[in-house]
Amino acid sequence: MVEQTLTIIKPDAVQRHLVGKILSHIEEDGFTIVGLKMLTLQKAQAEAFYQVHRERPFFSSLTTFMSSGPVVVALLERENAIERLRELMGATDPKQAAEGTIRRRYGLDVEKNSIHGSDSPETAATEIAFFFNHLERCTP
Ligand code: UDP
Ligand code: MG
């Protein structure tokens, strides 16, 4: 089934000029980019995006990091997009991520791990709506 998912190229990767490499990696796997934008999240916006993690010890540091500089947000489409993007990304901690995954290649540590991907159909729908209105979705 063709699905949509949301990815964020995180501030650590944008700062290190990895946007092109990471988008290439994703496109070469067969994803179509159907929405794309660059923006800097305010702290409160990062907190809203990561609400599900508000009780976690890393919440404050994570949302400070995610609002520390520009991010690139993309709406992606592909067969089995949600699961496939998670595979391409690799485990949250780059040290645990499989060889060849985006986080293993580019991630710096468990927080600055270069990329976000939605983890379920429900999350994908919420996260896509967080960043893209209908006019910004380049789908037929
Ligand atoms: N994170 C962190 N410390 C941790 C776990 C997660 O800083 O111990 C950060 C990391 O940037 C991660 C994000 O919080 O990508 C969201 O965590 P989640 O468990 O949802 O991991 P993901 O779905 O991104 O693999
Ligand atoms: Mg997650």
Side-chain angles (χ1 to χ4, degrees):
M1 189 186 60
V2 174
E3 280 179 337
Q4 293 185 343
T5 192
L6 183 101
T7 191
I8 306 176
I9 303 177
K10 295 187 178 182
D12 68 288
V14 174
Q15 194 178 13
R16 287 177 293 137
H17 304 165
L18 295 170
V19 174
K21 287 198 173 80
I22 292 174
L23 287 179
S24 285
H25 193 123
I26 290 169
E27 283 194 303
E28 280 164 15
D29 194 70
F31 284 88
T32 303
I33 298 171
V34 296
L36 187 65
K37 61 173 74 175
M38 187 173 206
L39 53 93
T40 302
L41 289 166
Q42 295 168 356
K43 171 86 166 165
Q45 294 170 326
E47 288 169 353
F49 183 79
Y50 279 114
Q51 261 311 291
V52 57
H53 292 315
R54 65 188 175 280
E55 308 292 348
R56 308 287 290 278
F58 58 80
F59 182 69
S60 171
S61 177
L62 170 64
T63 53
T64 296
F65 161 58
M66 287 300 290
S67 57
S68 67
V71 295
V72 170
V73 188
L75 174 56
L76 302 174
E77 200 167 87
R78 186 197 193 282
E79 191 82 15
N80 204 18
I82 297 165
E83 195 181 312
R84 185 60 196 152
L85 179 66
R86 298 289 303 191
E87 284 170 17
L88 276 196
M89 286 163 48
T92 307
D93 184 348
K95 290 194 295 291
Q96 316 287 325
E99 202 66 54
T101 59
I102 292 168
R103 284 169 164 173
R104 176 67 170 259
R105 280 192 192 169
Y106 304 121
L108 296 175
D109 57 43
V110 70
E111 177 181 85
K112 296 175 179 59
N113 57 7
S114 302
I115 186 167
H116 168 85
S118 309
D119 66 3
S120 71
E122 296 69 33
T123 318
T126 311
E127 293 183 350
I128 291 165
F130 188 92
F131 285 107
F132 293 98
N133 71 35
H134 286 278
L135 292 174
E136 297 168 320
R137 303 180 193 189
C138 302
T139 46

PDB file of all heavy atoms in Angstrom, residues 10 50 53 56 58 61-62 65-66 86 89-92 103 110-113 115-117 119, ligand 1:
ATOM      1  N   LYS A  10      17.430  16.856  10.964  1.00  0.00           N
ATOM      2  CA  LYS A  10      17.579  17.612  12.217  1.00  0.00           C
ATOM      3  C   LYS A  10      18.704  18.659  12.131  1.00  0.00           C
ATOM      4  O   LYS A  10      19.550  18.599  11.232  1.00  0.00           O
ATOM      5  CB  LYS A  10      17.830  16.615  13.357  1.00  0.00           C
ATOM      6  CG  LYS A  10      16.626  15.680  13.614  1.00  0.00           C
ATOM      7  CD  LYS A  10      16.836  14.813  14.851  1.00  0.00           C
ATOM      8  CE  LYS A  10      15.620  13.931  15.111  1.00  0.00           C
ATOM      9  NZ  LYS A  10      15.777  13.113  16.345  1.00  0.00           N
ATOM     10  N   TYR A  50       6.942  17.206  19.991  1.00  0.00           N
ATOM     11  CA  TYR A  50       7.405  16.049  20.774  1.00  0.00           C
ATOM     12  C   TYR A  50       6.598  15.858  22.072  1.00  0.00           C
ATOM     13  O   TYR A  50       7.112  15.253  23.016  1.00  0.00           O
ATOM     14  CB  TYR A  50       8.892  16.187  21.094  1.00  0.00           C
ATOM     15  CG  TYR A  50       9.816  15.775  19.962  1.00  0.00           C
ATOM     16  CD1 TYR A  50      10.637  16.700  19.316  1.00  0.00           C
ATOM     17  CD2 TYR A  50       9.901  14.445  19.540  1.00  0.00           C
ATOM     18  CE1 TYR A  50      11.501  16.317  18.289  1.00  0.00           C
ATOM     19  CE2 TYR A  50      10.752  14.052  18.523  1.00  0.00           C
ATOM     20  CZ  TYR A  50      11.552  15.000  17.905  1.00  0.00           C
ATOM     21  OH  TYR A  50      12.412  14.593  16.887  1.00  0.00           O
ATOM     22  N   HIS A  53       6.709  12.830  24.334  1.00  0.00           N
ATOM     23  CA  HIS A  53       7.898  12.582  25.162  1.00  0.00           C
ATOM     24  C   HIS A  53       8.019  13.556  26.337  1.00  0.00           C
ATOM     25  O   HIS A  53       9.067  13.636  26.971  1.00  0.00           O
ATOM     26  CB  HIS A  53       9.168  12.688  24.305  1.00  0.00           C
ATOM     27  CG  HIS A  53       9.309  11.596  23.300  1.00  0.00           C
ATOM     28  ND1 HIS A  53       9.084  10.277  23.588  1.00  0.00           N
ATOM     29  CD2 HIS A  53       9.660  11.633  21.986  1.00  0.00           C
ATOM     30  CE1 HIS A  53       9.294   9.540  22.501  1.00  0.00           C
ATOM     31  NE2 HIS A  53       9.623  10.335  21.515  1.00  0.00           N
ATOM     32  N   ARG A  56       9.680  12.491  29.525  1.00  0.00           N
ATOM     33  CA  ARG A  56      10.964  11.801  29.448  1.00  0.00           C
ATOM     34  C   ARG A  56      12.094  12.726  29.907  1.00  0.00           C
ATOM     35  O   ARG A  56      12.021  13.943  29.729  1.00  0.00           O
ATOM     36  CB  ARG A  56      11.247  11.331  28.005  1.00  0.00           C
ATOM     37  CG  ARG A  56      10.098  10.526  27.384  1.00  0.00           C
ATOM     38  CD  ARG A  56       9.980   9.140  27.969  1.00  0.00           C
ATOM     39  NE  ARG A  56      11.081   8.287  27.560  1.00  0.00           N
ATOM     40  CZ  ARG A  56      11.129   7.638  26.396  1.00  0.00           C
ATOM     41  NH1 ARG A  56      10.157   7.768  25.510  1.00  0.00           N
ATOM     42  NH2 ARG A  56      12.153   6.862  26.111  1.00  0.00           N
ATOM     43  N   PHE A  58      14.875  13.321  28.667  1.00  0.00           N
ATOM     44  CA  PHE A  58      15.587  14.012  27.590  1.00  0.00           C
ATOM     45  C   PHE A  58      14.754  15.103  26.911  1.00  0.00           C
ATOM     46  O   PHE A  58      15.217  15.755  25.973  1.00  0.00           O
ATOM     47  CB  PHE A  58      16.103  13.004  26.551  1.00  0.00           C
ATOM     48  CG  PHE A  58      15.032  12.133  25.920  1.00  0.00           C
ATOM     49  CD1 PHE A  58      14.237  12.599  24.890  1.00  0.00           C
ATOM     50  CD2 PHE A  58      14.851  10.820  26.363  1.00  0.00           C
ATOM     51  CE1 PHE A  58      13.265  11.797  24.311  1.00  0.00           C
ATOM     52  CE2 PHE A  58      13.873  10.008  25.785  1.00  0.00           C
ATOM     53  CZ  PHE A  58      13.080  10.499  24.752  1.00  0.00           C
ATOM     54  N   SER A  61      16.264  18.845  26.800  1.00  0.00           N
ATOM     55  CA  SER A  61      17.448  18.910  25.944  1.00  0.00           C
ATOM     56  C   SER A  61      17.078  18.677  24.471  1.00  0.00           C
ATOM     57  O   SER A  61      17.537  19.399  23.572  1.00  0.00           O
ATOM     58  CB  SER A  61      18.459  17.862  26.422  1.00  0.00           C
ATOM     59  OG  SER A  61      19.578  17.858  25.578  1.00  0.00           O
ATOM     60  N   LEU A  62      16.198  17.701  24.224  1.00  0.00           N
ATOM     61  CA  LEU A  62      15.769  17.393  22.851  1.00  0.00           C
ATOM     62  C   LEU A  62      15.105  18.603  22.187  1.00  0.00           C
ATOM     63  O   LEU A  62      15.417  18.950  21.038  1.00  0.00           O
ATOM     64  CB  LEU A  62      14.783  16.217  22.875  1.00  0.00           C
ATOM     65  CG  LEU A  62      14.053  15.929  21.557  1.00  0.00           C
ATOM     66  CD1 LEU A  62      15.016  15.507  20.462  1.00  0.00           C
ATOM     67  CD2 LEU A  62      12.984  14.845  21.773  1.00  0.00           C
ATOM     68  N   PHE A  65      17.589  21.341  21.459  1.00  0.00           N
ATOM     69  CA  PHE A  65      18.354  20.961  20.259  1.00  0.00           C
ATOM     70  C   PHE A  65      17.528  21.148  18.986  1.00  0.00           C
ATOM     71  O   PHE A  65      17.993  21.740  18.000  1.00  0.00           O
ATOM     72  CB  PHE A  65      18.814  19.500  20.388  1.00  0.00           C
ATOM     73  CG  PHE A  65      19.189  18.852  19.084  1.00  0.00           C
ATOM     74  CD1 PHE A  65      20.184  19.382  18.264  1.00  0.00           C
ATOM     75  CD2 PHE A  65      18.531  17.698  18.657  1.00  0.00           C
ATOM     76  CE1 PHE A  65      20.505  18.784  17.047  1.00  0.00           C
ATOM     77  CE2 PHE A  65      18.852  17.093  17.447  1.00  0.00           C
ATOM     78  CZ  PHE A  65      19.828  17.647  16.639  1.00  0.00           C
ATOM     79  N   MET A  66      16.285  20.675  18.992  1.00  0.00           N
ATOM     80  CA  MET A  66      15.463  20.721  17.774  1.00  0.00           C
ATOM     81  C   MET A  66      15.100  22.152  17.372  1.00  0.00           C
ATOM     82  O   MET A  66      14.718  22.392  16.226  1.00  0.00           O
ATOM     83  CB  MET A  66      14.201  19.874  17.946  1.00  0.00           C
ATOM     84  CG  MET A  66      14.456  18.382  17.922  1.00  0.00           C
ATOM     85  SD  MET A  66      15.206  17.771  16.372  1.00  0.00           S
ATOM     86  CE  MET A  66      13.830  17.977  15.229  1.00  0.00           C
ATOM     87  N   ARG A  86      11.790   4.012   8.664  1.00  0.00           N
ATOM     88  CA  ARG A  86      12.387   3.645   9.958  1.00  0.00           C
ATOM     89  C   ARG A  86      13.586   2.710   9.742  1.00  0.00           C
ATOM     90  O   ARG A  86      14.602   2.819  10.446  1.00  0.00           O
ATOM     91  CB  ARG A  86      11.346   2.987  10.877  1.00  0.00           C
ATOM     92  CG  ARG A  86      10.158   3.873  11.265  1.00  0.00           C
ATOM     93  CD  ARG A  86      10.509   4.982  12.210  1.00  0.00           C
ATOM     94  NE  ARG A  86      11.106   4.519  13.444  1.00  0.00           N
ATOM     95  CZ  ARG A  86      11.315   5.301  14.520  1.00  0.00           C
ATOM     96  NH1 ARG A  86      10.931   6.583  14.491  1.00  0.00           N
ATOM     97  NH2 ARG A  86      11.874   4.839  15.596  1.00  0.00           N
ATOM     98  N   MET A  89      16.516   4.763   8.447  1.00  0.00           N
ATOM     99  CA  MET A  89      17.074   5.628   9.490  1.00  0.00           C
ATOM    100  C   MET A  89      18.000   4.858  10.416  1.00  0.00           C
ATOM    101  O   MET A  89      19.047   5.351  10.809  1.00  0.00           O
ATOM    102  CB  MET A  89      15.943   6.209  10.346  1.00  0.00           C
ATOM    103  CG  MET A  89      15.147   7.298   9.677  1.00  0.00           C
ATOM    104  SD  MET A  89      13.551   7.594  10.492  1.00  0.00           S
ATOM    105  CE  MET A  89      13.993   7.693  12.210  1.00  0.00           C
ATOM    106  N   GLY A  90      17.585   3.667  10.819  1.00  0.00           N
ATOM    107  CA  GLY A  90      18.325   2.894  11.812  1.00  0.00           C
ATOM    108  C   GLY A  90      17.901   3.248  13.226  1.00  0.00           C
ATOM    109  O   GLY A  90      17.072   4.144  13.447  1.00  0.00           O
ATOM    110  N   ALA A  91      18.478   2.561  14.199  1.00  0.00           N
ATOM    111  CA  ALA A  91      18.106   2.717  15.608  1.00  0.00           C
ATOM    112  C   ALA A  91      18.358   4.148  16.088  1.00  0.00           C
ATOM    113  O   ALA A  91      19.194   4.864  15.542  1.00  0.00           O
ATOM    114  CB  ALA A  91      18.902   1.736  16.460  1.00  0.00           C
ATOM    115  N   THR A  92      17.634   4.539  17.129  1.00  0.00           N
ATOM    116  CA  THR A  92      17.720   5.892  17.686  1.00  0.00           C
ATOM    117  C   THR A  92      19.165   6.281  18.013  1.00  0.00           C
ATOM    118  O   THR A  92      19.597   7.392  17.704  1.00  0.00           O
ATOM    119  CB  THR A  92      16.857   5.982  18.968  1.00  0.00           C
ATOM    120  OG1 THR A  92      15.539   5.520  18.660  1.00  0.00           O
ATOM    121  CG2 THR A  92      16.787   7.398  19.485  1.00  0.00           C
ATOM    122  N   ARG A 103      21.373   7.022  10.292  1.00  0.00           N
ATOM    123  CA  ARG A 103      21.892   7.398  11.616  1.00  0.00           C
ATOM    124  C   ARG A 103      23.275   6.841  11.875  1.00  0.00           C
ATOM    125  O   ARG A 103      24.112   7.512  12.492  1.00  0.00           O
ATOM    126  CB  ARG A 103      20.898   6.964  12.697  1.00  0.00           C
ATOM    127  CG  ARG A 103      19.685   7.904  12.759  1.00  0.00           C
ATOM    128  CD  ARG A 103      18.590   7.372  13.602  1.00  0.00           C
ATOM    129  NE  ARG A 103      17.608   8.397  13.971  1.00  0.00           N
ATOM    130  CZ  ARG A 103      16.478   8.143  14.602  1.00  0.00           C
ATOM    131  NH1 ARG A 103      16.156   6.896  14.931  1.00  0.00           N
ATOM    132  NH2 ARG A 103      15.644   9.121  14.905  1.00  0.00           N
ATOM    133  N   VAL A 110      22.928   9.908  20.607  1.00  0.00           N
ATOM    134  CA  VAL A 110      21.519   9.475  20.715  1.00  0.00           C
ATOM    135  C   VAL A 110      20.540  10.648  20.543  1.00  0.00           C
ATOM    136  O   VAL A 110      19.405  10.446  20.109  1.00  0.00           O
ATOM    137  CB  VAL A 110      21.280   8.691  22.031  1.00  0.00           C
ATOM    138  CG1 VAL A 110      21.371   9.617  23.244  1.00  0.00           C
ATOM    139  CG2 VAL A 110      19.963   7.934  22.014  1.00  0.00           C
ATOM    140  N   GLU A 111      20.967  11.854  20.848  1.00  0.00           N
ATOM    141  CA  GLU A 111      20.103  13.023  20.633  1.00  0.00           C
ATOM    142  C   GLU A 111      20.298  13.596  19.222  1.00  0.00           C
ATOM    143  O   GLU A 111      19.329  13.743  18.463  1.00  0.00           O
ATOM    144  CB  GLU A 111      20.418  14.113  21.671  1.00  0.00           C
ATOM    145  CG  GLU A 111      19.589  15.374  21.448  1.00  0.00           C
ATOM    146  CD  GLU A 111      19.931  16.448  22.478  1.00  0.00           C
ATOM    147  OE1 GLU A 111      20.901  17.197  22.260  1.00  0.00           O
ATOM    148  OE2 GLU A 111      19.224  16.511  23.499  1.00  0.00           O
ATOM    149  N   LYS A 112      21.520  13.882  18.880  1.00  0.00           N
ATOM    150  CA  LYS A 112      21.836  14.506  17.573  1.00  0.00           C
ATOM    151  C   LYS A 112      22.017  13.398  16.541  1.00  0.00           C
ATOM    152  O   LYS A 112      23.123  13.136  16.061  1.00  0.00           O
ATOM    153  CB  LYS A 112      23.083  15.378  17.722  1.00  0.00           C
ATOM    154  CG  LYS A 112      22.842  16.546  18.671  1.00  0.00           C
ATOM    155  CD  LYS A 112      24.099  17.349  18.938  1.00  0.00           C
ATOM    156  CE  LYS A 112      23.804  18.507  19.872  1.00  0.00           C
ATOM    157  NZ  LYS A 112      23.255  18.109  21.199  1.00  0.00           N
ATOM    158  N   ASN A 113      20.869  12.765  16.224  1.00  0.00           N
ATOM    159  CA  ASN A 113      20.912  11.576  15.370  1.00  0.00           C
ATOM    160  C   ASN A 113      20.411  11.854  13.950  1.00  0.00           C
ATOM    161  O   ASN A 113      20.010  10.956  13.235  1.00  0.00           O
ATOM    162  CB  ASN A 113      20.148  10.422  16.034  1.00  0.00           C
ATOM    163  CG  ASN A 113      18.707  10.788  16.349  1.00  0.00           C
ATOM    164  OD1 ASN A 113      18.243  11.843  15.969  1.00  0.00           O
ATOM    165  ND2 ASN A 113      18.003   9.904  17.038  1.00  0.00           N
ATOM    166  N   ILE A 115      18.121  12.573  11.939  1.00  0.00           N
ATOM    167  CA  ILE A 115      16.861  12.416  11.198  1.00  0.00           C
ATOM    168  C   ILE A 115      15.734  11.936  12.102  1.00  0.00           C
ATOM    169  O   ILE A 115      15.968  11.151  13.040  1.00  0.00           O
ATOM    170  CB  ILE A 115      17.070  11.454   9.998  1.00  0.00           C
ATOM    171  CG1 ILE A 115      15.809  11.374   9.114  1.00  0.00           C
ATOM    172  CG2 ILE A 115      17.519  10.062  10.450  1.00  0.00           C
ATOM    173  CD1 ILE A 115      16.054  10.708   7.754  1.00  0.00           C
ATOM    174  N   HIS A 116      14.538  12.423  11.809  1.00  0.00           N
ATOM    175  CA  HIS A 116      13.304  11.938  12.442  1.00  0.00           C
ATOM    176  C   HIS A 116      12.450  11.236  11.396  1.00  0.00           C
ATOM    177  O   HIS A 116      12.441  11.643  10.238  1.00  0.00           O
ATOM    178  CB  HIS A 116      12.500  13.120  13.002  1.00  0.00           C
ATOM    179  CG  HIS A 116      11.104  12.747  13.420  1.00  0.00           C
ATOM    180  ND1 HIS A 116      10.824  12.225  14.650  1.00  0.00           N
ATOM    181  CD2 HIS A 116       9.928  12.764  12.727  1.00  0.00           C
ATOM    182  CE1 HIS A 116       9.528  11.949  14.716  1.00  0.00           C
ATOM    183  NE2 HIS A 116       8.960  12.269  13.555  1.00  0.00           N
ATOM    184  N   GLY A 117      11.718  10.209  11.801  1.00  0.00           N
ATOM    185  CA  GLY A 117      10.717   9.588  10.927  1.00  0.00           C
ATOM    186  C   GLY A 117       9.512   9.168  11.749  1.00  0.00           C
ATOM    187  O   GLY A 117       9.663   8.677  12.874  1.00  0.00           O
ATOM    188  N   ASP A 119       6.515   7.062  13.329  1.00  0.00           N
ATOM    189  CA  ASP A 119       6.650   5.655  13.747  1.00  0.00           C
ATOM    190  C   ASP A 119       5.379   4.819  13.600  1.00  0.00           C
ATOM    191  O   ASP A 119       5.400   3.627  13.916  1.00  0.00           O
ATOM    192  CB  ASP A 119       7.206   5.577  15.173  1.00  0.00           C
ATOM    193  CG  ASP A 119       6.257   6.141  16.212  1.00  0.00           C
ATOM    194  OD1 ASP A 119       5.135   6.549  15.849  1.00  0.00           O
ATOM    195  OD2 ASP A 119       6.655   6.169  17.386  1.00  0.00           O
TER     196      ASP A 119
HETATM  197  N1  UDP B   1      16.383  11.029  22.334  1.00  0.00           N
HETATM  198  C1  UDP B   1      17.354  11.431  23.238  1.00  0.00           C
HETATM  199  N2  UDP B   1      17.732  10.553  24.229  1.00  0.00           N
HETATM  200  C2  UDP B   1      17.186   9.322  24.351  1.00  0.00           C
HETATM  201  C3  UDP B   1      16.191   8.909  23.444  1.00  0.00           C
HETATM  202  C4  UDP B   1      15.822   9.801  22.442  1.00  0.00           C
HETATM  203  O1  UDP B   1      17.860  12.531  23.151  1.00  0.00           O
HETATM  204  O2  UDP B   1      17.576   8.564  25.264  1.00  0.00           O
HETATM  205  C5  UDP B   1      15.974  11.959  21.268  1.00  0.00           C
HETATM  206  C6  UDP B   1      16.477  11.545  19.876  1.00  0.00           C
HETATM  207  O3  UDP B   1      16.785  12.731  19.133  1.00  0.00           O
HETATM  208  C7  UDP B   1      15.282  10.819  19.308  1.00  0.00           C
HETATM  209  C8  UDP B   1      14.122  11.643  19.872  1.00  0.00           C
HETATM  210  O4  UDP B   1      14.550  11.987  21.183  1.00  0.00           O
HETATM  211  O5  UDP B   1      15.318  10.758  17.889  1.00  0.00           O
HETATM  212  C9  UDP B   1      12.792  10.942  19.946  1.00  0.00           C
HETATM  213  O6  UDP B   1      12.962   9.731  20.664  1.00  0.00           O
HETATM  214  P1  UDP B   1      12.309   8.394  20.161  1.00  0.00           P
HETATM  215  O7  UDP B   1      12.395   7.392  21.273  1.00  0.00           O
HETATM  216  O8  UDP B   1      10.939   8.666  19.615  1.00  0.00           O
HETATM  217  O9  UDP B   1      13.301   7.893  19.007  1.00  0.00           O
HETATM  218  P2  UDP B   1      13.120   7.830  17.410  1.00  0.00           P
HETATM  219  O10 UDP B   1      11.683   7.489  17.137  1.00  0.00           O
HETATM  220  O11 UDP B   1      13.508   9.188  16.881  1.00  0.00           O
HETATM  221  O12 UDP B   1      14.065   6.757  16.958  1.00  0.00           O
END
